[in-house]
Amino acid sequence: MSEPKRLRVGMVGYAFMGAAHSHAWRTAPRFFDLPLVPELTAVAGRNPDGVRAAAAKYGWDSVETDWRRLIERDDIDLIDICTPGNTHAEIAIAALEAGKHVLCEKPLANSVEEAEKMTAVAQAAAERGVLSMCGFSYRRTPALALAKRMVEEGRLGDIRHVRAQYLQDWLSDADAPLTWRLDKSKSGSGSLGDIGAHSIDAAQWITGSTITGVSALLETFVKERPVGGDYVGLGGRGGTDAPKGPVTVDDAALFTARFAGKHDDGAGATIGIFEATRFALGRKNAMRLELNGTKGSLAFDFEDMNSLQFYDSALEPDAGFRKIIVTEPSHPYTGNWWPTGHGLGYEHGFTHQVVDLVNAIGAGEQPTPSFSDALQVQKVLAAVEASAGNASRWQNV
């Protein structure tokens, strides 16, 4: 039996997402049978000392200090983009046009215009067998993947309500340092694009319906923060005497939404409410989603990520939700890991993302979420900002 072909990966960026992606590329072929074997061929970063240290720590074979050199290399098959949003379009377009597959972190870009260009190039590349995917990793959480399966099986009936929250608290301290995530020119937006994008994608993916309009409110609670230099982590505390710079993104985002209806007049449409904040004291990574349908309901909270709450009105009309422990071999992804009851963690979503991407590339099929799927999320983000900037008036997507 011949050995599987290699998939030689070049990653751009090596901080938070770079660490998660490195772990995933290294781990996926050890727990899943893949048609291609990923190799950590090269990692690129602007800081020579930093990128060399990351390569040694995470297991990359070589380094580059310019992402363009990475794309030019003949020994790279796929470019994995783990950089701030303002760089996504340039890197992804160059990689696709050079014949490299692409995995790009979310949100796809910092604007609809950039996302549209990326999508057009990705669609043209796909016709040549060059594939791309956007990294909305929460799709690969077993409990959320099970929720989608249950919705598709009709267990909830018609969906009436979507209730989505993404709550963190790492910016609650007014002296937390000013980093790239708080600079609109680099990040595109704040809590809205950083974490709210995950909720938008998950809601549209699980319901199978797109958001068609929103009414929104954005708020920035802390207008200035201590300059953080190259600090790229989450949280921390800047020097009290350090110079301060302006925060140019939102700290919190709230919006109501209507999903595509079953009829031209909008009748039967699902309605939703979304909240994203990095100021919810005590909430560390509470990515929550609840769906209420005509037959039942589902509820999920990433802070209890190995469980899914389910209510079936036919089976339990006089009871409340019951808890499903999502660790059975029959549940999505879990059969390749540990015995029943032994939970998974945050990092496993990235491993499952690699598994789905490599399987799609091996089969020559479009992986999901595609750049087109991510463009739809980008359009919702833009509509939220437009509504918030226009006294929360209704904004079509």
Side-chain angles (χ1 to χ4, degrees):
M1 183 175 178
S2 62
E3 291 291 325
K5 293 182 178 180
R6 297 175 296 164
L7 181 69
R8 300 165 298 182
V9 179
M11 187 175 73
V12 189
Y14 55 85
F16 175 23
M17 281 298 100
H21 284 224
S22 298
H23 181 276
W25 288 115
R26 191 172 59 249
T27 305
R30 289 167 171 80
F31 285 84
F32 293 80
D33 294 326
L34 301 178
L36 305 167
V37 178
E39 292 186 355
L40 283 68
T41 302
V43 57
R46 293 174 298 175
N47 183 313
D49 292 337
V51 72
R52 280 194 291 267
K57 184 175 183 179
Y58 302 132
W60 293 88
D61 293 337
S62 61
V63 302
E64 298 286 352
T65 55
D66 187 335
W67 60 263
R68 296 169 184 83
R69 304 292 83 79
L70 205 63
I71 291 174
E72 292 169 356
R73 288 176 54 159
D74 294 332
D75 62 343
I76 299 292
D77 302 311
L78 180 146
I79 298 295
D80 184 0
I81 304 170
C82 299
T83 53
N86 63 313
T87 64
H88 288 183
E90 185 180 11
I91 299 172
I93 289 171
L96 291 168
E97 290 180 340
K100 315 290 187 185
H101 304 300
V102 169
L103 171 60
C104 182
E105 258 301 326
K106 64 83 219 160
L108 187 60
N110 279 2
S111 69
V112 170
E113 292 74 19
E114 285 182 336
E116 286 175 336
K117 291 177 183 177
M118 294 170 72
T119 300
V121 172
Q123 291 172 342
E127 295 178 0
R128 307 190 304 273
V130 180
L131 302 173
S132 55
M133 187 174 84
C134 189
F136 283 103
S137 58
Y138 284 105
R139 289 191 180 202
R140 273 76 189 193
T141 303
L144 284 179
L146 178 61
K148 178 173 176 59
R149 180 195 296 176
M150 294 172 75
V151 169
E152 290 177 337
E153 291 171 348
R155 304 284 294 277
L156 270 65
D158 294 334
I159 306 299
R160 290 172 169 163
H161 289 281
V162 172
R163 205 165 290 106
Q165 293 179 310
Y166 203 141
L167 312 177
Q168 297 178 338
D169 70 356
W170 62 273
L171 277 177
S172 296
D173 186 341
D175 286 324
L178 186 70
T179 70
W180 71 265
R181 293 178 187 274
L182 304 177
D183 181 348
K184 187 174 179 62
S185 68
K186 295 179 180 178
S187 63
S189 62
S191 60
L192 174 63
D194 186 25
I195 54 179
H198 277 301
S199 296
I200 294 166
D201 178 71
Q204 293 187 138
W205 173 62
I206 291 174
T207 62
S209 182
T210 57
I211 294 172
T212 60
V214 299
S215 173
L217 177 68
L218 300 177
E219 183 60 48
T220 302
F221 299 116
V222 179
K223 311 296 185 183
E224 291 185 327
R225 292 183 177 275
V227 175
D230 292 332
Y231 185 84
V232 294
L234 304 183
R237 187 176 179 84
T240 55
D241 296 329
K244 293 189 176 183
V247 174
T248 53
V249 298
D250 58 282
D251 286 329
L254 301 170
F255 65 95
T256 54
R258 183 178 295 277
F259 290 71
K262 296 182 177 180
H263 309 288
D264 291 340
D265 62 1
T270 303
I271 58 174
I273 184 164
F274 291 76
E275 178 184 11
T277 180
R278 299 181 290 203
F279 275 70
L281 277 171
R283 300 300 179 191
K284 303 306 177 183
N285 200 49
M287 190 274 198
R288 299 169 165 179
L289 188 66
E290 181 169 324
L291 307 178
N292 307 128
T294 55
K295 295 181 180 179
S297 295
L298 287 170
F300 170 78
D301 185 339
F302 191 79
E303 290 187 346
D304 187 15
M305 66 169 288
N306 288 291
S307 71
L308 183 66
Q309 302 287 333
F310 176 51
Y311 173 74
D312 186 323
S313 63
L315 296 178
E316 301 162 312
D318 298 324
F321 282 84
R322 63 183 175 89
K323 187 175 185 177
I324 302 171
I325 304 300
V326 190
T327 58
E328 298 292 333
S330 60
H331 294 149
Y333 304 108
T334 54
N336 285 70
W337 294 104
W338 321 123
T340 296
H342 294 71
L344 303 187
Y346 175 70
E347 74 278 12
H348 290 85
F350 294 93
T351 302
H352 302 154
Q353 178 173 270
V354 163
V355 169
D356 289 345
L357 174 58
V358 174
N359 280 329
I361 291 173
E365 299 173 350
Q366 173 60 53
T368 57
S370 66
F371 279 16
S372 180
D373 297 328
L375 171 60
Q376 166 61 23
V377 175
Q378 201 77 46
K379 290 179 178 179
V380 176
L381 297 177
V384 169
E385 289 197 290
S387 173
N390 191 28
S392 302
R393 289 184 175 86
W394 189 260
Q395 178 71 39
N396 292 327
V397 176

